[in-house]
């Protein structure tokens, strides 16, 4: 089955160029020229298959990409879990951080090489489809349960709200419980590429994960910060 992509981008020329490139790479690409049109497509209005991933521009003519991302994460059902790759202005780290806080899975600064966009898309989709070894499909740490097949996280039976990327970060830590990992090691385990210079997105995502799985995110018991090094997932919990 062909993977469906939705590109929300007001630059029609760029959208056409990227769409043609991704189509040649085996994807089916739909285009929306503004944020509200993209949200309508995500909710099934106007027909068409539900997208497997959204490429979302930050600067749109009606509502900006940050608001679109926020609304996507508030949609009912599976639509809220669609991976979002945000296109941001080069040299504007604050917009990237806000986007990640709102639930974007990754970002790519403009201008970009289509090949890098393709690599990012494939990495996000691969993380969603790669299965676990049969012996480790479900991991339990006290009241925390991580189901790799269903890609769900629950705390005492209650669902925890994580993006696809945050789920994979949690898996990367949980698989190495008790081992201190640097930010570079964590990002490499999940994204499959070296950490960009001065990239603090890992800290933003860790904050979001803690808010979802910790009783007190400011006094975490599961994901601990090792000052000057990185993070460690505690083996003993609850």
């Amino acid at each position: 089955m062909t993977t469906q992509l939705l590109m929300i981008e007001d630059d029609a020329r760029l959208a056409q160029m990227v769409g043609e490139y991704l189509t040649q790479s085996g994807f089916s690409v739909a285009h929306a020229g503004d944020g509200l049109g993209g949200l309508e497509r995500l909710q099934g209005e106007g027909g068409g298959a539900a997208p497997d991933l959204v490429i979302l521009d930050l600067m749109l003519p009606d509502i900006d990409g940050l608001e679109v991302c926020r609304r996507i994460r508030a949609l009912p059902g599976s639509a809220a879990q669609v991976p979002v790759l945000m296109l941001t202005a080069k040299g504007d780290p604050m917009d990237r951080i806000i986007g990640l806080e709102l639930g974007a899975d990754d970002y790519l600064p403009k201008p970009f090489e289509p090949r890098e966009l393709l690599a990012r898309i494939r990495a996000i989709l691969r993380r969603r489809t790669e299965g676990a070894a049969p012996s480790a499909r479900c991991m339990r740490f006290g009241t925390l349960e991580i189901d790799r097949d269903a890609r769900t996280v629950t705390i005492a039976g209650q669902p925890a709200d994580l993006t696809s990327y945050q789920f994979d970060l949690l898996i990367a830590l949980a698989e190495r419980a008790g081992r201190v990992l640097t930010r570079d090691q964590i990002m490499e385990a999940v994204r499959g590429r070296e950490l960009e210079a001065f990239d603090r997105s890992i800290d933003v995502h860790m904050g979001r994960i803690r808010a979802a799985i910790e009783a007190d995110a400011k006094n975490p018991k599961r994901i601990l910060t090792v000052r000057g090094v990185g993070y460690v997932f505690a083996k003993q919990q609850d």
Side-chain angles (χ1 to χ4, degrees), residues 22-182:
L22 294 175
T23 298
Q24 293 172 1
S25 300
F27 296 98
S28 177
V29 185
H31 173 236
D34 55 44
L36 294 177
L39 288 167
E40 288 176 356
R41 284 182 174 270
L42 272 169
Q43 296 175 85
E45 298 179 23
D52 298 296
L53 181 143
V54 173
I55 303 167
L56 175 61
D57 187 30
L58 181 65
M59 302 300 294
L60 296 169
D62 50 357
I63 57 176
D64 66 29
L66 297 177
E67 176 63 15
V68 173
C69 187
R70 187 190 68 78
R71 295 191 189 187
I72 288 174
R73 295 304 177 221
L75 290 173
S78 60
Q81 303 302 317
V82 63
V84 174
L85 195 165
M86 184 169 284
L87 304 179
T88 68
K90 189 174 181 64
D92 197 350
M94 184 54 64
D95 283 335
R96 301 175 200 167
I97 291 171
I98 295 173
L100 292 169
E101 288 178 335
L102 290 173
D105 292 86
D106 201 355
Y107 64 83
L108 183 62
K110 287 183 173 181
F112 57 84
E113 287 288 337
R115 288 178 297 178
E116 183 175 4
L117 174 64
L118 177 61
R120 298 287 187 95
I121 290 170
R122 285 176 170 167
I124 293 172
L125 295 173
R126 183 170 61 248
R127 292 197 302 265
R128 289 182 66 87
T129 57
E130 283 180 344
S135 60
R137 292 186 183 276
C138 189
M139 293 185 284
R140 294 181 179 85
F141 301 88
T143 59
L144 172 67
E145 182 172 313
I146 307 170
D147 189 327
R148 299 189 61 161
D149 285 342
R151 294 187 65 81
T152 58
V153 178
T154 57
I155 306 292
Q158 298 301 310
D161 186 18
L162 297 175
T163 68
S164 173
Y165 187 51
Q166 289 158 10
F167 179 86
D168 292 313
L169 283 173
L170 180 59
I171 287 288
L173 285 168
E175 286 179 335
R176 301 161 179 81
R179 174 183 166 190
V180 178
L181 301 175
T182 66

